Amino acid sequence: MYSLIAGAASLGTAMAEPRWKMLPETPDLPAAGREGEAPVNGIKIWHAVYGSGEPVIMLHGGLGNSSYWGNQISTLAGSYQVIVMDSRGHGRSTRDERPLSYDLMATDVVALMDFLGLQKAAIVGWSDGAIIGLKLATDHAERISRVFAFAANSKPSGLYPLDQNVLFKAYLDRAREEYVKLSPTPGAYGDFRKQMDRMWESQPNLTAEALGSIAVPVWVVDGDHEEVVRREDTLFIADSIPAAGLLIQPEVSHFSLLQDPEQFTDHILHFLGRE
């Protein structure tokens, strides 16, 4: 009997999907010290603040929302003041008639910092959030202390075709459901998605010259099973930023923060604690 049970357990382990093929559930946000809507830049940015210490702003990926950081916040808030924000038009934040752009969303981050009285902050970004972080480092360097950039692309051609990507399709389906649940304009997802698609078709445009101007500490990070961003584009970003660190996380994909949250959090802490 023991051998049968052991054999069945081994078979189950062998048949389990590798973590880079999974899309774990979106975590819940922990209870915040304070949260609300900031009337900045002509819109309302939803944000929440946790812990105390040096400020760290966490920027989520395109079509997502701040809840995706739910596995990281509590640990980081033990040493830092952690601020999460829903990007313009995403999650609980509003948008206006202006076309979505990474430049505009970077100015939203600066405007929220002004609202919160933050002179300077570290940025932790995932996907679109990482692109915004790099834009902040190029265009608003005086407000940024360092950038942890996970899964950024420098240009639209830096992405793989995603039409047949099963995991990314699952993310898109989830993003639609979360938008309807969280957004103050739940019926506007179609227009919002069109705006995002237009942005993704022509942006970002992080040139070697722009990246070469970054003087703050940066880690360029990605998963070894990344299915969205081409590895050569990740290497281009890392090679173009003076003194940037390059980290390829093992056994994870574009959704590393959900697939191996402890590893992801440990890497953020290591980066933030460097001199």
Side-chain angles (χ1 to χ4, degrees):
M1 179 64 73
Y2 173 80
S3 62
L4 288 175
I5 294 174
S10 298
L11 180 60
T13 301
M15 294 177 64
E17 283 271 67
R19 70 182 66 201
W20 62 82
K21 291 187 176 182
M22 298 179 183
L23 186 65
E25 292 297 318
T26 307
D28 294 325
L29 286 173
R34 53 193 167 110
E35 65 178 76
E37 297 175 338
V40 299
N41 221 1
I43 59 169
K44 293 180 179 179
I45 289 288
W46 183 91
H47 62 286
V49 182
Y50 305 83
S52 61
E54 295 181 20
V56 178
I57 299 175
M58 307 187 76
L59 304 176
H60 61 76
L63 303 179
N65 57 78
S66 294
S67 295
Y68 281 82
W69 295 118
N71 291 326
Q72 281 74 44
I73 292 171
S74 294
T75 300
L76 295 177
S79 303
Y80 299 94
Q81 181 186 37
V82 177
I83 300 101
V84 297
M85 58 176 282
D86 288 347
S87 294
R88 166 183 295 259
H90 294 66
R92 310 154 190 83
S93 294
T94 66
R95 60 188 171 98
D96 53 23
E97 72 284 351
R98 287 176 286 180
L100 293 173
S101 72
Y102 294 110
D103 287 335
L104 183 56
M105 288 191 280
T107 64
D108 291 339
V109 177
V110 174
L112 179 63
M113 291 175 65
D114 290 340
F115 177 83
L116 295 174
L118 303 177
Q119 181 56 39
K120 186 171 285 193
I123 302 294
V124 174
W126 159 50
S127 195
D128 272 10
I131 296 170
I132 296 168
L134 294 174
K135 290 294 297 182
L136 287 164
T138 60
D139 300 343
H140 305 275
E142 72 284 356
R143 306 300 299 273
I144 305 304
S145 61
R146 59 185 61 215
V147 179
F148 182 97
F150 181 87
N153 59 295
S154 71
K155 52 189 176 294
S157 61
L159 302 180
Y160 291 113
L162 295 170
D163 296 346
Q164 305 303 316
N165 189 291
V166 175
L167 197 63
F168 197 75
K169 183 180 184 302
Y171 171 69
L172 294 179
D173 292 341
R174 181 185 297 184
R176 180 187 297 108
E177 294 173 0
E178 292 173 343
Y179 180 94
V180 172
K181 178 182 177 181
L182 297 174
S183 176
T185 56
Y189 182 78
D191 182 65
F192 168 65
R193 178 63 195 275
K194 288 178 182 177
Q195 284 275 338
M196 291 294 292
D197 286 342
R198 290 192 193 103
M199 182 179 76
W200 287 337
E201 287 169 2
S202 60
Q203 300 175 43
N205 183 28
L206 291 167
T207 64
E209 180 180 8
L211 293 169
S213 71
I214 295 177
V216 300
V218 176
W219 270 12
V220 178
V221 190
D222 213 337
D224 59 351
H225 289 271
E226 169 68 60
E227 68 276 76
V228 177
V229 180
R230 296 181 187 273
R231 179 57 49 79
E232 55 265 32
D233 199 45
T234 301
L235 297 177
F236 165 75
I237 294 172
D239 290 344
S240 299
I241 300 174
L246 172 65
L247 174 63
I248 304 299
Q249 298 178 336
E251 300 181 29
V252 290
S253 78
H254 194 75
F255 303 97
S256 171
L257 72 170
L258 302 179
Q259 293 163 342
D260 195 340
E262 289 185 3
Q263 173 176 263
F264 201 96
T265 305
D266 285 346
H267 289 157
I268 293 173
L269 284 171
H270 187 75
F271 172 69
L272 294 176
R274 292 175 66 83
E275 294 295 331

